[in-house]
Amino acid sequence: MNVLDLSGKTALVLGIANRWSIAYAIGSLLQAHGVQVAVTYQNERVADEVLKLTGDWPGVLPLACELTDDAQVEAVFERLKNEFGSLNYLIHCIAFAERSELQGPFRNISRGGFHTSLDISAYSLIGAAQRAAPMMPAGDSSILTLTYMASERVVPNYNVMALAKAALENSVRYLASDLGPLGIRVNAISAGPVRTASARAISGFTDMLKQHAEKSPLRRNVSAEEVGKAALYLCSDLASGVTGTVHFVDGGYHILGA
Ligand code: NAD
């Protein structure tokens, strides 16, 4: 069996904004391997760009979805149920924090910034998983999210997003335990820095890229496509025994002690 022939499978990829989005890299690879993909974008501001980027994906279903609005999330899964019937892969590529929360001392995190960031960046996975699970066939389903090493190490300026990623990674473990008996696997990819719109909001991001390229064992940065290839593995039957993990795609940077 060619385990990377994923034809007949379906996926929902949350979070394409533009051609640099990691969600776009993952969605592109999934559809190139035969998956019918639905994608969500946040609002009409990015709709034209997303429709243009995904226009030639066979059977693509582009849907607007503001993830803080339960009615919109509900509507996306209703459409999916009607159009796809079942869902094999849920790919969560969502994060948000106000720019003002991604700079300066950690102790300055505001209550509002904390709520917003944890709601959008961590709760959104739980909200999507609870709606996706009833549509996911046992033994052939996978949920995947994207995280960053600041969840467990101190990275300057990551601040509230570091807390959101810690909550997200723990959600991966609890969801994996919850959904494992239903035959649904849940994992995260911890990516090294990739130049995207969200990443550029972090103060000092360019220095971070430089440091990773200089110090990581592979002596370079990783690409969105490399994250996409790991996503393909974690979705496919190649990873049939893997759940509850955080899989690093960062050129090995996370093993460094100094
Ligand atoms: P991106 O800006 O392209 O993607 C973030 C997406 O989240 C966008 O599509 C945005 O519209 C969406 N989003 C934010 N708030 C939303 C809301 N309220 N409702 C609906 N959608 C909303 O950036 P990216 O770097 O591709 O980010 C994807 C994921 O990868 C994020 O979880 C990010 O933390 C993670 N990640 C990125 C890097 C990196 O260096 N780029 C490294 C590790 C992990």
Side-chain angles (χ1 to χ4, degrees):
M1 177 178 55
N2 177 2
V3 285
L4 280 181
D5 175 7
L6 302 178
S7 36
K9 313 284 188 209
T10 55
L12 171 63
V13 178
L14 302 172
I16 299 188
N18 52 49
R19 68 184 62 254
W20 296 283
S21 294
I22 294 174
Y24 175 58
I26 296 175
S28 299
L29 276 173
L30 286 174
Q31 66 84 31
H33 285 79
V35 179
Q36 187 183 7
V37 179
V39 297
T40 70
Y41 51 90
Q42 189 175 357
N43 52 40
E44 290 310 313
R45 198 171 46 81
V46 292
D48 285 351
E49 177 73 1
V50 174
L51 295 182
K52 203 162 63 190
L53 286 172
T54 60
D56 62 354
W57 295 3
V60 68
L61 180 61
L63 301 165
C65 186
E66 165 54 61
L67 282 155
T68 54
D69 180 349
D70 280 340
Q72 290 192 35
V73 179
E74 206 61 62
V76 162
F77 282 93
E78 248 341 279
R79 276 292 296 281
L80 268 186
K81 216 182 302 168
N82 294 337
E83 310 248 348
F84 284 8
S86 66
L87 184 69
N88 298 100
Y89 314 131
L90 170 66
I91 317 286
H92 174 270
C93 309
I94 301 289
F96 178 77
E98 294 293 348
R99 202 172 268 266
S100 58
E101 299 283 354
L102 298 172
Q103 56 191 317
F106 177 84
R107 62 182 177 277
N108 286 356
I109 290 174
S110 69
R111 189 187 299 271
F114 180 93
H115 284 165
T116 300
S117 180
L118 269 89
D119 183 17
I120 298 175
S121 315
Y123 180 76
S124 61
L125 173 69
I126 302 168
Q130 69 189 217
R131 291 172 174 93
M135 296 176 62
M136 301 187 96
D140 200 8
S141 295
S142 177
I143 296 176
L144 189 61
T145 187
L146 287 164
T147 186
Y148 180 61
M149 185 188 69
S151 59
E152 44 185 21
R153 308 276 180 88
V154 175
V155 176
N157 300 316
Y158 225 78
N159 298 358
V160 76
M161 188 55 73
L163 302 180
K165 292 305 191 192
L168 182 74
E169 288 177 23
N170 217 20
S171 304
V172 165
R173 289 184 278 272
Y174 273 81
L175 285 170
S177 167
D178 225 17
L179 297 174
L182 303 180
I184 302 169
R185 297 183 294 106
V186 187
N187 293 290
I189 292 176
S190 186
V194 177
R195 201 183 289 278
T196 63
S198 293
R200 281 198 301 266
I202 301 159
S203 175
F205 179 73
T206 305
D207 294 337
M208 225 161 109
L209 271 176
K210 195 164 166 273
Q211 184 172 323
H212 273 249
E214 281 170 6
K215 291 195 170 167
S216 71
L218 293 184
R219 298 290 192 277
R220 61 174 177 82
N221 289 122
V222 295
S223 66
E225 196 198 355
E226 288 178 303
V227 178
K229 287 192 291 185
L232 209 56
Y233 150 71
L234 283 168
C235 285
S236 78
D237 200 54
L238 288 173
S240 58
V242 181
T243 195
T245 61
V246 176
H247 179 77
F248 286 89
V249 181
D250 67 347
Y253 191 88
H254 68 285
I255 65 172
L256 299 180

